[in-house]
């Protein structure tokens, strides 16, 4: 078989490890051939390819980013997008595709599978918000980066008797904020799933100062105050209709400074959370996803996504992964609240 591989959406540590797993097993065990598509769905749309053999995947296991490049191209927003992809796949002799991506990239894969394209999905996102899988790869790395930042911020916050606010990624789901906040011993964690009362946050912060410790507030970029408007840098939308977020941390610092009389500063971790080498957990998960994805293609089990359930890698229909986002359940938030302000 001749198999195309693409990576779409925001990059994340572990993408290269998946590509390596797919290609190494695909060639050495099954004798398949590969075509690398560049920049997500833009690759098959415009016929942008690059060679993808054993040589190309040597040494990429620990490398962040993606050797194939990425983009947020939505085929379904482009005139004749699907027809162009089908034509390019036929012209290149590609029998099947492995799409590695998050809700948007795999959302496109879900629709293409319904239209008869042979596709298998691999769930990627630092946000951990894809349904049907216990974890997506990239999440563990992002959480570790954020945790390390929080650890460092504790000591400087205490020296200067300041509130330090750490803004982490998470548009609709606060998994990074919750896990990094818990692992880093944050005093308040704010998620997109639950609008927060800024006066309550100020009370937590004051309580923490009374204990002679400086507070660390972890806020997901998509968190919003009660009855507030989503805070955005600008209103530009990408091709999947998402606004660019960022700004809630700064807004919160101004509010907390005014309400508590203590200096408050914000650190926006941004793309640092997506860069660099994957953790061991993410390397293993990505590699296992890659190995299982090529098995699915080899067996002709299309329209599926590989997923982690407990310690097993299983295959589920793509729609189960992309139909609905996996947000943080309220019980998980309540569990963490014990530490707020204390
Ligand atoms: O989906 C992954 C993610 O990193 C989100 O956490 C974040 O909101 C978004 O991508 C940022 O996207 P971009 O890098 O395109 O601005």
């Amino acid at each position: 078989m001749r198999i195309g591989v693409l990576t779409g959406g925001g990059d994340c540590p572990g993408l290269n490890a998946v590509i390596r797993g797919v290609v190494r097993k695909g060639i050495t065990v099954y004798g398949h051939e590969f075509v690398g598509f560049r920049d997500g769905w833009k690759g098959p749309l415009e016929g942008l390819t690059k060679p993808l053999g054993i040589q190309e995947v040597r040494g990429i296991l620990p490398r962040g980013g993606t050797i194939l490049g990425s983009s947020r191209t939505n085929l379904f927003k482009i005139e004749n997008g699907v027809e162009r992809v089908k034509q390019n796949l036929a012209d290149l002799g590609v029998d099947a595709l492995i799409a590695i991506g998050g809700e948007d990239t795999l959302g496109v894969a879900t629709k293409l599978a319904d239209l008869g394209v042979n596709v298998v999905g691999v769930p990627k996102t630092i946000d951990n918000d894809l349904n049907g899988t216990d974890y997506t790869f990239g999440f563990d790395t992002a959480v570790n980066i954020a945790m390390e930042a929080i650890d460092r911020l504790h000591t400087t916050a205490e020296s200067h008797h300041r509130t330090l606010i750490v803004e982490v990624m998470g548009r609709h789901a606060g998994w990074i904020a919750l896990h990094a906040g818990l692992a880093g011993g944050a005093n308040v964690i704010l998620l997109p799933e639950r609008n927060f009362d800024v006066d309550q946050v100020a009370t937590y912060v004051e309580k923490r100062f009374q204990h002679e410790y400086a507070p660390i507030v972890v806020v997901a970029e998509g968190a919003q105050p009660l009855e507030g408007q989503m805070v955005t840098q600008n209103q530009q939308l990408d091709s999947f209709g998402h606004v660019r977020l960022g700004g809630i941390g700064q807004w919160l610092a101004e509010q907390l400074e005014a309400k508590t009389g203590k200096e408050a500063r914000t650190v926006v971790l941004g793309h640092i959370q997506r860069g660099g080498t994957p953790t061991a957990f993410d390397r293993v998960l990505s590699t296992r996803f890659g190995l299982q994805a090529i098995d699915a293609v080899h067996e002709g089990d299309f329209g599926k996504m590989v997923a982690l359930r407990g310690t097993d890698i299983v295959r589920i229909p793509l729609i189960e992964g992309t139909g609905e986002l996996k947000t943080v359940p309220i019980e998980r938030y309540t569990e963490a609240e014990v530490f707020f302000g204390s």
Side-chain angles (χ1 to χ4, degrees):
M1 246 192 270
R2 199 163 145 81
I3 301 158
V5 182
L6 65 89
T7 53
D11 69 343
C12 92
L15 285 166
N16 286 325
V18 178
I19 298 168
R20 172 179 171 270
V22 163
V23 171
R24 288 281 284 273
K25 185 164 188 182
I27 293 175
T28 56
V29 177
Y30 297 129
H32 295 312
E33 241 182 79
F34 291 90
V35 178
F37 281 109
R38 290 173 183 268
D39 301 340
W41 289 113
K42 192 172 174 211
L45 180 74
E46 297 182 7
L48 306 174
T49 64
K50 68 182 279 182
L52 193 57
I54 299 280
Q55 206 46 44
E56 284 73 24
V57 301
R58 289 244 182 260
I60 67 171
L61 172 64
R63 246 169 81 185
T66 161
I67 58 165
L68 295 176
S70 192
S71 74
R72 294 188 187 275
T73 307
N74 187 351
L75 297 183
F76 290 88
K77 288 272 169 68
I78 293 166
E79 218 182 309
N80 301 324
V82 175
E83 291 69 27
R84 282 167 63 189
V85 165
K86 284 186 166 176
Q87 191 57 53
N88 282 332
L89 295 181
D91 292 349
L92 291 161
V94 171
D95 307 296
L97 274 178
I98 294 182
I100 312 167
E103 50 158 330
D104 296 329
T105 304
L106 295 190
V108 169
T110 309
K111 290 188 199 162
L112 282 181
D114 288 343
L115 296 171
V117 176
N118 293 335
V119 56
V120 167
V122 179
K124 151 281 14 164
T125 167
I126 62 163
D127 299 338
N128 196 39
D129 59 1
L130 270 175
N131 238 330
T133 182
D134 290 351
Y135 289 103
T136 52
F137 68 86
F139 173 65
D140 185 66
T141 306
V143 168
N144 274 284
I145 292 168
M147 179 194 72
E148 195 193 321
I150 296 166
D151 286 349
R152 289 174 188 278
L153 291 170
H154 272 295
T155 59
T156 170
E158 276 159 28
S159 307
H160 292 269
H161 317 289
R162 284 175 177 147
T163 304
L164 278 175
I165 295 156
V166 189
E167 185 182 305
V168 297
M169 281 186 165
R171 202 193 291 272
H172 305 294
W175 290 107
I176 297 177
L178 180 73
H179 281 228
L182 269 180
N187 310 113
V188 187
I189 302 170
L190 305 172
L191 313 181
E193 287 85 347
R194 185 155 152 184
N195 290 4
F196 62 87
D197 176 355
V198 71
D199 291 317
Q200 175 69 68
V201 178
T203 307
Y204 288 141
V205 162
E206 273 165 346
K207 241 175 112 186
R208 178 77 174 173
F209 277 121
Q210 282 159 17
H211 297 145
E212 306 276 320
Y213 283 107
I216 303 282
V217 179
V218 177
V219 59
E221 61 183 343
Q224 295 178 63
L226 286 176
E227 293 178 19
Q229 288 283 305
M230 184 174 270
V231 181
T232 57
Q233 267 177 354
N234 62 40
Q235 296 295 324
Q236 259 182 328
L237 300 184
D238 68 18
S239 72
F240 288 94
H242 304 305
V243 288
R244 186 181 297 175
L245 298 179
I248 188 68
Q250 191 47 43
W251 178 84
L252 196 57
E254 286 157 19
Q255 296 287 317
L256 292 179
E257 203 164 285
K259 287 178 193 294
T260 65
K262 297 272 193 191
E263 190 182 3
R265 298 281 189 91
T266 300
V267 175
V268 181
L269 292 185
H271 293 86
I272 289 174
Q273 294 157 97
R274 290 206 328 228
T277 192
T279 57
F281 179 90
D282 278 337
R283 292 182 197 191
V284 172
L285 182 59
S286 306
T287 299
R288 294 184 71 207
F289 274 166
L291 297 173
Q292 296 282 340
I294 190 62
D295 287 350
V297 169
H298 183 73
E299 291 166 26
D301 194 7
F302 298 117
K304 296 285 172 62
M305 177 184 105
V306 293
L308 179 70
R309 296 278 171 86
T311 54
D312 294 333
I313 310 288
V314 299
R315 293 178 205 161
I316 61 173
L318 269 166
I319 189 69
E320 267 186 43
T322 58
E324 200 183 324
L325 274 190
K326 183 182 72 182
T327 52
V328 175
I330 194 68
E331 317 81 72
R332 288 293 311 275
Y333 190 68
T334 314
E335 201 175 66
E337 267 180 324
V338 171
F339 299 101
F340 292 8
S342 62

